[in-house]
Amino acid sequence: MARAGLTTERLTEAGAALSDEIGFERATLSELARRFDVKVASLYSHVRSSEDLRIRVALLALEEMADRGDTALAGRAGKDALIALGNVYRDYAREHPGRYDAAQMRLDPQTAASSAGPRHSQMMRAILRGYDLTEADQTHAVRLLGSVFNGYVGLERSGGFSHSTPDSQQSWDRILDSLDTLLKGWPAP
Amino acid sequence: MARAGLTTERLTEAGAALSDEIGFERATLSELARRFDVKVASLYSHVRSSEDLRIRVALLALEEMADRGDTALAGRAGKDALIALGNVYRDYAREHPGRYDAAQMRLDPQTAASSAGPRHSQMMRAILRGYDLTEADQTHAVRLLGSVFNGYVGLERSGGFSHSTPDSQQSWDRILDSLDTLLKGWPAP
DNA sequence: TCCATTTGCCTAATAGCCTTAGGTAGATAG
DNA sequence: CTATCTACCTAAGGCTATTAGGCAAATGGA
């Protein structure tokens, strides 16, 4: 019997593609096996469980977004950098909805710590160096940025404000603009 | 055979309680049937499908949060109101994690329109009347508030910033504070 | 090149959840 | 008190996940 040439990486990549195509929820091991024309049990040589694969897809998505973030931030600072990073998340979610959903998974602390998660915090901190904040305020601001980026993209994806005026793009621009203003004049406690 | 006295409402309520207890994902019809000491098929007289129940739990959660919001906003305005509403979401998520997860479901436009979703927008608009914003800017600001509230609670729940300093409460206070400042001096386009 | 080992994929089997079809007994109404 | 309704049941089929054990293809050492 011909071998399909499965590897953990290939399965993860295919799982990610499948998630984008039919949704993270519907991307099952069974469906994956069907696509590779292989029996489900065969996948267990490369992946510990269904959950294991989903975590791998989540980690892949986090890495990909971090990579895009690095690229986007190169040579930018201040408001430019802020906008660039925000767009990384928003664009990624549009292009890869399944992967983006995967990235929202709650990872256990161990896994989260060794994921690209910390890279995301680092990128936000890098942006904040363009503003004048104390160490503690930088942390608060990182959390604010994370909340706004994740929150906005999430609401946009759940259709919260499609087909209503003003359109989503305008709000997005306006929100990034006001975040910049806020960071420039970050209020004293 | 004694009857269990099932109704759609009772199942929805039990589904919500079960979600809080074992997680929204794990709250299955099978488990629900077990709790009521009833066969799974019996539930189908009261609920169309597994998905149907999950949507009902989501709608319940949205209603409950809106009710809490109304109560919290009564007699408050400006920054007080902002803080009060923010805490409604944060506290609700802590007290009812399963329900909160349910509320994140992507509902189809029909269902979303007839849900308590619009009440949430209305509450935010009510708060913004305490600030001086144009109609369009009010919409942008509603979206910003929604993003921050949802985003922050989501990140907090996924363990993003537990066990790190400054603690999450401080960031939350600081962020609400800065949102207030931002709204007071909302930048011109 | 041949043999030994590894390993990639298979079959078989179990278990859990979801869903539909059709039956029965307890509640309800005329 | 009977007729209808309906709440719950049994039975059965389908999909997903997971484990155990087997065979054949690939791999590497002599």
Side-chain angles (χ1 to χ4, degrees):
Chain A
M1 298 163 186
R3 299 198 168 187
L6 302 181
T7 65
T8 304
E9 289 69 35
R10 214 177 298 248
L11 283 178
T12 304
E13 185 60 50
L18 185 58
S19 297
D20 287 337
E21 194 181 327
I22 64 174
F24 185 56
E25 301 271 297
R26 302 187 188 287
T28 69
L29 288 186
S30 302
E31 183 59 30
L32 212 50
R34 245 169 260 134
R35 306 256 168 150
F36 277 104
D37 200 33
V38 139
K39 300 298 169 183
V40 195
S42 306
L43 304 183
Y44 283 80
S45 305
H46 308 281
V47 141
R48 255 196 303 277
S49 65
S50 175
E51 181 75 357
D52 180 42
L53 179 77
R54 286 165 59 219
I55 291 172
R56 286 178 192 280
V57 173
L59 295 176
L60 174 66
L62 288 171
E63 294 276 354
E64 287 181 348
M65 284 192 279
D67 290 345
R68 285 196 185 194
D70 279 339
T71 303
L73 289 185
R76 288 189 227 266
K79 189 175 177 181
D80 271 2
L82 185 68
I83 292 174
L85 187 60
N87 283 329
V88 162
Y89 295 115
R90 201 162 88 113
D91 293 345
Y92 189 85
R94 285 173 177 278
E95 292 169 35
H96 299 294
R99 286 156 145 101
Y100 188 83
D101 281 347
Q104 307 303 310
M105 276 189 68
R106 278 186 254 294
L107 302 171
D108 73 281
Q110 291 279 332
T111 311
S114 65
S115 76
R119 285 178 64 197
H120 292 274
S121 313
Q122 281 314 111
M123 290 191 294
M124 299 202 194
R125 264 180 203 283
I127 290 176
L128 293 172
R129 275 195 281 280
Y131 300 88
D132 190 32
L133 301 179
T134 67
E135 182 62 32
D137 279 337
Q138 258 192 33
T139 302
H140 299 317
V142 165
R143 292 169 178 179
L144 172 60
L145 291 184
S147 300
V148 175
F149 292 163
N150 266 287
Y152 194 91
V153 173
L155 290 182
E156 198 174 35
R157 259 175 70 48
S158 71
F161 24 84
S162 56
H163 310 303
S164 55
T165 55
D167 71 25
S168 187
Q169 181 62 47
Q170 285 187 52
S171 289
W172 179 244
D173 292 340
R174 230 44 192 80
I175 285 172
L176 290 173
D177 195 64
S178 59
L179 278 180
D180 173 64
T181 306
L182 173 62
L183 292 172
K184 275 175 183 146
W186 187 266
Chain B
M1 297 161 184
R3 299 197 167 188
L6 302 180
T7 65
T8 304
E9 289 68 36
R10 214 177 297 249
L11 283 177
T12 304
E13 185 59 49
L18 184 59
S19 296
D20 287 337
E21 194 182 326
I22 65 174
F24 185 56
E25 302 270 297
R26 302 188 189 285
T28 69
L29 287 186
S30 301
E31 184 58 30
L32 212 48
R34 245 169 259 133
R35 305 255 169 151
F36 278 103
D37 199 33
V38 140
K39 299 297 170 184
V40 194
S42 306
L43 303 183
Y44 282 80
S45 305
H46 309 281
V47 142
R48 255 198 302 278
S49 65
S50 175
E51 180 75 357
D52 180 42
L53 179 77
R54 284 166 59 220
I55 291 172
R56 286 178 193 279
V57 173
L59 295 177
L60 174 66
L62 288 172
E63 294 276 355
E64 287 182 347
M65 283 192 279
D67 290 345
R68 285 196 185 193
D70 279 338
T71 302
L73 289 186
R76 287 188 227 267
K79 188 175 177 181
D80 271 3
L82 184 70
I83 292 174
L85 187 61
N87 283 329
V88 162
Y89 295 114
R90 201 162 87 113
D91 293 345
Y92 190 86
R94 285 174 177 275
E95 291 169 35
H96 299 293
R99 286 157 146 100
Y100 188 83
D101 280 348
Q104 307 303 311
M105 276 188 67
R106 278 186 255 293
L107 302 171
D108 73 280
Q110 291 279 332
T111 311
S114 64
S115 76
R119 285 178 64 197
H120 292 273
S121 312
Q122 282 314 111
M123 290 191 293
M124 299 202 194
R125 265 181 202 281
I127 291 175
L128 293 172
R129 276 195 280 279
Y131 300 88
D132 190 32
L133 301 179
T134 67
E135 183 62 30
D137 279 337
Q138 258 192 34
T139 302
H140 299 318
V142 165
R143 292 169 179 179
L144 172 61
L145 291 184
S147 300
V148 175
F149 292 163
N150 266 287
Y152 194 91
V153 173
L155 290 182
E156 198 174 37
R157 259 176 70 49
S158 72
F161 24 83
S162 56
H163 311 301
S164 54
T165 55
D167 71 26
S168 187
Q169 181 63 46
Q170 286 186 51
S171 289
W172 179 243
D173 293 340
R174 221 61 183 74
I175 285 172
L176 289 174
D177 195 64
S178 58
L179 279 179
D180 173 64
T181 305
L182 173 61
L183 292 172
K184 276 174 182 148
W186 188 265

